[in-house]
Every structure is written in structure tokens, then in C-alpha cells.
Amino acid sequence: MILSLILLALILLASLGLVLAPLRASVPQDPDAAERDRLLAERDRLYAELTALEDEQRRPDLERRAALTLRALDALPPAPRSGQTRALALGGVAVAALLTVAGALTFVPRWQLAALGPGEAQNVRDALALPELRRRAETTGDRAAYLAWGKAAFDSGQYAQAVTAYGNALKLDPRQPEALRRLGILLLTRPEQTGQPLRPEDAQQAFLLIRTAAQLAPQDPESQLLLGFALARFGQDEEALTALERYRTLDPKGRDADELITAIRARQNEANPGLRVYAASCASCHGASGGGGALGPSLRASSLSRDALRAVIVNGKGAMPAFPNLGAAELRALLDVLERWQKEGP
């Protein structure tokens, strides 16, 4: 970065030097200025006399003198022109403009990238690299080249190119999780991109692609993330939460699922009073779907009976606080949820 700033500063200084040098230079002196001025004045005087001449006998003499004056002017060396300085200045401006543009194209993008976050800067770099990545993929026909092109296109939002690149990669090897899940999510979200309705057969195809990718790469955070989005799209909220919580486990710093998890919980809480109680009192310790959290164990793996669960909830146990103020209906709905989760398992 420091080297870039130094080079750009040198370019600017060179540009200013080219512009200002001709303007600083003094106009060269004309050694024949006095004689030139005298002859010009004589020429003008003779022309004026010829124009106003009344005595035609004088015309030959005046014309001879005018011709001699013009010949003397032609014999003088050309006078230095101030236009040369102007031309040099204009040339300097043109060169300076070219250098400034070259500097801007070379260094300004780096300044802009430095002002962006790491993810945004990488997206910009991906977009700038697309032409070369596409040329390389189409020239070599290599699977890895198509994947590199598809990834750069997808990450920079050039989804039409991503579809082409990933489609060609899958023709070479159909068992590629990244290409499968990203093509699936692009197909599933096509209505948002194009405004066209999603056909049922396309929706099923999209879900199949995403699910296959998750089966091929179950430890990949993006596989679980996109699976969660797809499941939520089809109304399978419980399964979606499981996948999204799995994504959070695989990528603790990832925040891409936060809004969807919140929306799913809100939907569940409105429809199920037991889940509403669980979200308010239990989820912070035992996880969004009862699979365990930072403090509390998995409730899905619990083997406690309904009565034992009730006793722990009302009276507390160990680090588990007591909730004696739960109403009978709320407690019954919460126990129904916990029992269902025990049957479903982890």
C-alpha cells in the first residue's frame, strides 16, 4: 500500500512538471524585432498611400517600394511564436491526463478496496477476475477452472455466469457439492432474481440438488446453510432449524442464518404455545431446537419421563433454574414439545 502511494505521488509530480514546464519557460527574444516592426510599418504606410492614390504617375514608384519592403520582410528569419509554448503546454496537459488516468486505473481501485471490508473487497476482486477466469475455463475445459469461474461469479453476484460455469463443471463431474448446492439455490431463488414464478418441477429439482450436496459434504457449513434455507422454503421448519443450527456449529462466526432462524422461531411461537415458552425460557441454554447449547445439555437425548421433566422445570436442578410460575397450560404445552423431541431424537 505504501509503495502504491509513493508511485502515485511520483506520477502526479511528473504530470504537474509536464504541464508547468512550458508555462514557466520564457518566450524566446526576437533579434530582428526592431527591423521587422519598421518594415511592417513601411508596408502598411505604402499600402495606405496606394489605396488613396490620386496621382497615377506615382503608382509605379510606390509599388516598387512596396515590393522591396515585402521582399525585405520575407528575408528576415521567422519570428518565435508564443503558440509554441501553448502547444507544449497542451501537449503536457494531454500527457498528464494519460498518466493520471493510468495511475487511477492502477492505484485507485486499491484505495477503494482498502476502504471495503474483507468480504466486499474479495467480491470486487472476483468481479475483476471474471473475464480471465472465463477465458481460462473455456480454453482448457478443466473442471477446476470451471469451478473457479463459477465461484468468482457466484460470490460477485454474476449469477448467469455462475449457472453456466457450474453447469459445465457438473457435466465433467456430477458429484461436486459446491456446484450442486449453488445451482440449486439459484434455481430456488430465481423468482427473486427474474420476477418469474417458480415451477413446481424446478422447485423439486432445486431441493434435490441442495439435499444431494448436503449428503456429499455434511461437514461443509454452506451445505447446511443452503439446506436450511431450502427446507424453510418448503415449510419444514423443524428440519430447517436443525440444519441451520448445524451450520452455526460448523461456522461459529457465520451470521448468515440469524434472520431466518429468528423468522422460523417467530412462526413456530405463534403456532405453538409450547415452542413460545421454550423460546422465552429454555432456548438460550438448550439451543433453538433442543439439541443442546453452551450451557444446557441436549433435551432430545434426554430419557427423563414426563413427570421427571415437570419436576426439573418447576423446581430446578443443579445449574438449571426453577420456573414455578409457569401456568398449567404453558407447562403442559412445553412438556408436549419436549416429549416430541425425545421421540425424534438428536
Side-chain angles (χ1 to χ4, degrees):
M1 182 63 183
I2 295 176
L3 180 60
S4 299
L5 292 174
I6 293 174
L7 290 175
L8 183 56
L10 291 175
I11 287 176
L12 292 175
L13 290 175
S15 302
L16 289 173
L18 286 170
V19 172
L20 297 177
L23 299 178
R24 290 196 307 267
S26 60
V27 178
Q29 296 298 318
D30 182 8
D32 303 306
E35 179 64 10
R36 193 185 312 278
D37 291 340
R38 186 188 69 79
L39 291 172
L40 288 172
E42 178 67 8
R43 180 200 64 184
D44 294 340
R45 186 183 66 77
L46 291 170
Y47 280 175
E49 287 189 24
L50 285 168
T51 301
L53 184 63
E54 295 181 354
D55 184 359
E56 289 296 321
Q57 292 182 357
R58 296 185 58 212
R59 182 175 296 277
D61 180 64
L62 292 175
E63 289 179 346
R64 180 183 60 81
R65 290 165 59 189
L68 291 174
T69 302
L70 291 174
R71 188 179 302 172
L73 279 171
D74 292 338
L76 291 176
R81 293 177 297 175
S82 60
Q84 291 177 337
T85 301
R86 177 180 175 83
L88 287 173
L90 290 176
V93 169
V95 173
L98 289 175
L99 289 174
T100 302
V101 169
L105 292 176
T106 305
F107 300 111
V108 169
R110 297 186 184 179
W111 291 358
Q112 293 172 339
L113 289 178
L116 299 175
E120 294 174 323
Q122 185 59 51
N123 289 345
V124 173
R125 284 190 287 268
D126 289 340
L128 295 175
L130 281 179
E132 174 59 22
L133 290 173
R134 178 174 186 171
R135 185 200 63 77
R136 187 181 306 164
E138 293 177 342
T139 300
T140 64
D142 181 65
R143 176 182 64 86
Y146 276 117
L147 284 176
W149 175 26
K151 183 179 187 307
F154 185 93
D155 291 345
S156 59
Q158 302 297 317
Y159 297 129
Q161 289 193 49
V163 169
T164 301
Y166 281 136
N168 282 307
L170 288 174
K171 290 178 183 178
L172 298 171
D173 179 5
R175 294 175 61 84
Q176 298 182 76
E178 179 184 303
L180 287 169
R181 63 179 176 253
R182 290 190 168 187
L183 278 179
I185 203 66
L186 288 175
L187 182 59
L188 193 61
T189 57
R190 189 162 60 185
E192 288 88 337
Q193 302 170 31
T194 64
Q196 300 175 353
L198 182 66
R199 298 180 302 175
E201 56 268 28
D202 289 340
Q204 292 297 328
Q205 178 66 21
F207 183 76
L208 177 62
L209 291 171
I210 295 171
R211 186 178 62 184
T212 301
Q215 292 171 345
L216 290 172
Q219 301 302 314
D220 192 303
E222 189 179 75
S223 286
Q224 297 300 323
L225 175 65
L226 298 188
L227 178 61
F229 274 104
L231 288 166
R233 194 71 172 260
F234 285 92
Q236 302 179 39
D237 285 351
E238 285 292 336
E239 294 84 351
L241 276 178
T242 300
L244 295 174
E245 289 293 343
R246 176 68 174 156
Y247 156 74
R248 279 182 166 178
T249 301
L250 294 170
D251 184 8
K253 296 182 179 179
R255 313 312 312 170
D256 293 330
D258 291 358
E259 291 185 7
L260 182 55
I261 289 175
T262 300
I264 292 175
R265 286 174 178 170
R267 287 201 300 267
Q268 290 181 331
N269 294 345
E270 291 175 1
N272 189 319
L275 289 174
R276 184 164 58 249
V277 174
Y278 179 84
S281 304
C282 315
S284 60
C285 292
H286 294 282
S289 302
L295 300 177
S298 170
L299 299 175
R300 291 177 175 270
S302 172
S303 59
L304 295 177
S305 66
R306 187 181 181 94
D307 288 339
L309 288 170
R310 178 187 290 107
V312 172
I313 293 170
V314 174
N315 302 314
K317 183 178 180 180
M320 165 80 178
F323 295 89
N325 297 323
L326 284 177
E330 291 177 323
L331 181 57
R332 183 168 56 254
L334 176 59
L335 290 169
D336 289 342
V337 169
L338 297 181
E339 283 192 321
R340 174 166 57 83
W341 283 351
Q342 285 179 332
K343 293 177 182 178
E344 292 174 357

